[in-house]
Every structure is written in structure tokens, then in C-alpha cells.
């Protein structure tokens, strides 16, 4: 039995990337640890998981619990508090739980090389779920003035019908935070006016399976720069491990 455990809290976890990534990395680096999936239908089962796994030192959190888990934590990192979502929990030496968000780290590190130096533009965040909150703050930090887009209007949220030629021309960075196009429903894609994209546009898809989504294909056909979420996922995973093992 491994001396230390980490894991993923969410539901469902059938196609999760994290378990294989972390366990392969532990094996390659000779780290005495294992990473488990905790697929639970109720976030309240967190306490039972902790009670049954005394050597659990950290958790990642995924859909649908990134916000639901927050009231169960003893402390929040200021950045996670600002984002309003947690994807990483550190079990402190005294047993208390501290929440972090490393999605913002993975996304920022993956997007930044795509941005031309001195780029001044606004950005569109497609979707308003838990993942979109970290993306929104990351874009704010990069000075890209984000705007939510969803099927229904809301606070700081326009609809897909509002994506006029003027809006598309002034928002050169577009990030898909919806699950549209994710395996196995690979034909899906957000309903943006792809014909209005140009070679100046940057289209980032948080979906990582498949590696080239329909969103990316349609954007690339207009000359836009595209990227999937694989590098973002790996970046957030490594950042989570660094948090779990930090003093």
C-alpha cells in the first residue's frame, strides 16, 4: 500500500484524465503515492472519504462540486475565493481543509504563448459553469476584458444571438468553457458565427478529448489560432501536486 493518497472528487468520473496522469507521473518520478477516483453522488460524502482514508493529503475537485464543496472547507486561498470555485483541496497537517484553484494557472500558462505581444482586445467566455469562473479571472488578469456568453442573458452575460459582427471584431480571444464537442458527442460545438472569425482570432477550447474539437476545426478553417485543453489540464494537475506537497 502506498504511504500517501491523493484523489479526484466528482461525478461522474468515467472519462477522467487525472487518475492516469498522476499515477503515471508518480511511477516515472519514483513518488510513493497513489491517486484514486472518489466518484460520489453527494458532495457531503467528503467527510466519509476523509475518515476512511487517513493518509489522504489532497484532492482535486471537478464537476459538479467546484462550488458546492466550498462551504465545507476551513480556509480558502484568496485567488480561489475571488474566482468563486475550488478545484484543489489540501489536507493540512492539523486535518483542516484549504481550497485552491489551479485551473487558472493551467489556463494562463497555456494561453499566454498564443497572445501576440501588446495585444489589446476583449475576450468571450462561452459558458457560465464552474470552469468558466477561473477562465474569466485569468482573462481579467491578462487584461483581456472578458465577457460571458450563454444561451440565456444575465449579469455580465450576453447571448449567442448577440454575437454581431461588431462584437466578434472587438473580441479576438474566445474560450469555450462548455462541454460541447467533448467525446463521445464530438459533432457538438458552441453556436458562434464562425464565418466572422479571422486570422487575428485566438480560439481556445477547454475540452481535451478529442484533441481537435469541432469548435477548433471551424475556427481553424477561418484562419484562427486554436488550442485544446490538454496542456491546461496537465498544468493544473502539476500545480495541484505542488500545493499538496508544499510546506
Amino acid at each position: 500500500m502506498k504511504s500517501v493518497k491523493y484523489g479526484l472528487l466528482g461525478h461522474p468520473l468515467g472519462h477522467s484524465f487525472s487518475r492516469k496522469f498522476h499515477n503515471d507521473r508518480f511511477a516515472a518520478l519514483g513518488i510513493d503515492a497513489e491517486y484514486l477516483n472518489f466518484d460520489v453522488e453527494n458532495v457531503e460524502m467528503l467527510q466519509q472519504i476523509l475518515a476512511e482514508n487517513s493518509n489522504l493529503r489532497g484532492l482535486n475537485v471537478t464537476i459538479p462540486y467546484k462550488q458546492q464543496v466550498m462551504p465545507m472547507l476551513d480556509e480558502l486561498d484568496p485567488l480561489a475565493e475571488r474566482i468563486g470555485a475550488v478545484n484543489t483541496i489540501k489536507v493540512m497537517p492539523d486535518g483542516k481543509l484549504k481550497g485552491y484553484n489551479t485551473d487558472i494557472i493551467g489556463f494562463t500558462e497555456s494561453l499566454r504563448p498564443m497572445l501576440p505581444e501588446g495585444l489589446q482586445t476583449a475576450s468571450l467566455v462561452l459558458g457560465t459553469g464552474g470552469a468558466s469562473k477561473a477562465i474569466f479571472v485569468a482573462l481579467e488578469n491578462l487584461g483581456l476584458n472578458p465577457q460571458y456568453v450563454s444561451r440565456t442573458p444575465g449579469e455580465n452575460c450576453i447571448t449567442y444571438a448577440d454575437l454581431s459582427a461588431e462584437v466578434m471584431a472587438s473580441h479576438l480571444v474566445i474560450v469555450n468553457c462548455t462541454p460541447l464537442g467533448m467525446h463521445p458527442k464530438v459533432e457538438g460545438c458552441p453556436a458562434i458565427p464562425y464565418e466572422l472569425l479571422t486570422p487575428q482570432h485566438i480560439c481556445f477550447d477547454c475540452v481535451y478529448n478529442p484533441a481537435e474539437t469541432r469548435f477548433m476545426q471551424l475556427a481553424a478553417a477561418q484562419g484562427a489560432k486554436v488550442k485544446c485543453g490538454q496542456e491546461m489540464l496537465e498544468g493544473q494537475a502539476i500545480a495541484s501536486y505542488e500545493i499538496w506537497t508544499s510546506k
Side-chain angles (χ1 to χ4, degrees):
M1 188 175 73
K2 300 293 184 182
S3 62
V4 177
K5 291 180 183 177
Y6 306 99
L8 178 65
L9 180 72
H11 180 76
L13 298 180
H15 297 287
S16 167
F17 144 96
S18 298
R19 183 174 184 176
K20 184 178 189 308
F21 177 83
H22 281 287
N23 284 328
D24 286 352
R25 188 165 178 268
F26 293 159
L29 297 176
I31 296 170
D32 182 24
E34 65 177 328
Y35 191 100
L36 306 172
N37 279 350
F38 295 104
D39 191 332
V40 295
E41 295 186 8
N42 190 324
V43 71
E44 298 293 334
M45 292 186 69
L46 173 60
Q47 292 304 323
Q48 181 179 334
I49 290 169
L50 293 166
E52 293 175 353
N53 296 274
S54 59
N55 58 344
L56 187 64
R57 296 292 177 263
L59 288 165
N60 287 127
V61 185
T62 189
I63 296 171
Y65 302 136
K66 290 187 177 185
Q67 294 164 270
Q68 293 182 32
V69 79
M70 293 175 71
M72 305 178 69
L73 306 179
D74 299 294
E75 187 179 353
L76 287 175
D77 174 74
L79 188 55
E81 189 168 19
R82 178 183 165 198
I83 291 168
V86 161
N87 83 315
T88 301
I89 299 172
K90 181 175 183 176
V91 182
M92 308 297 281
D94 60 3
K96 291 185 176 180
L97 305 178
K98 184 171 182 178
Y100 298 83
N101 192 302
T102 64
D103 283 334
I104 188 171
I105 299 171
F107 172 72
T108 302
E109 291 178 350
S110 187
L111 178 69
R112 200 192 304 272
M114 301 179 73
L115 302 175
E117 188 173 349
L119 177 67
Q120 292 187 328
T121 185
S123 56
L124 298 174
V125 178
L126 310 182
T128 56
S132 71
K133 296 182 180 301
I135 303 303
F136 192 94
V137 173
L139 292 168
E140 281 186 327
N141 289 349
L142 290 167
L144 295 176
N145 190 23
Q147 167 72 67
Y148 281 120
V149 184
S150 187
R151 288 173 294 180
T152 54
E155 185 178 353
N156 194 29
C157 183
I158 61 175
T159 69
Y160 289 96
D162 296 321
L163 297 178
S164 64
E166 182 180 2
V167 170
M168 296 297 286
S170 59
H171 294 72
L172 296 181
V173 176
I174 303 174
V175 185
N176 176 34
C177 298
T178 78
L180 291 169
M182 184 184 295
H183 179 81
K185 299 180 181 180
V186 297
E187 292 305 312
C189 62
I192 68 170
Y194 293 93
E195 70 278 6
L196 297 177
L197 295 175
T198 69
Q200 283 69 52
H201 280 89
I202 297 165
C203 295
F204 189 104
D205 201 332
C206 293
V207 171
Y208 64 93
N209 183 14
E212 186 181 43
T213 61
R214 185 67 176 150
F215 169 76
M216 293 168 61
Q217 290 170 352
L218 292 172
Q222 300 300 122
K225 290 191 284 187
V226 299
K227 198 172 201 178
C228 79
Q230 181 70 33
E231 189 177 78
M232 171 186 167
L233 261 178
E234 294 177 1
Q236 65 81 22
I238 292 170
S240 291
Y241 181 75
E242 290 173 352
I243 287 170
W244 295 330
T245 55
S246 63
K247 297 294 185 181

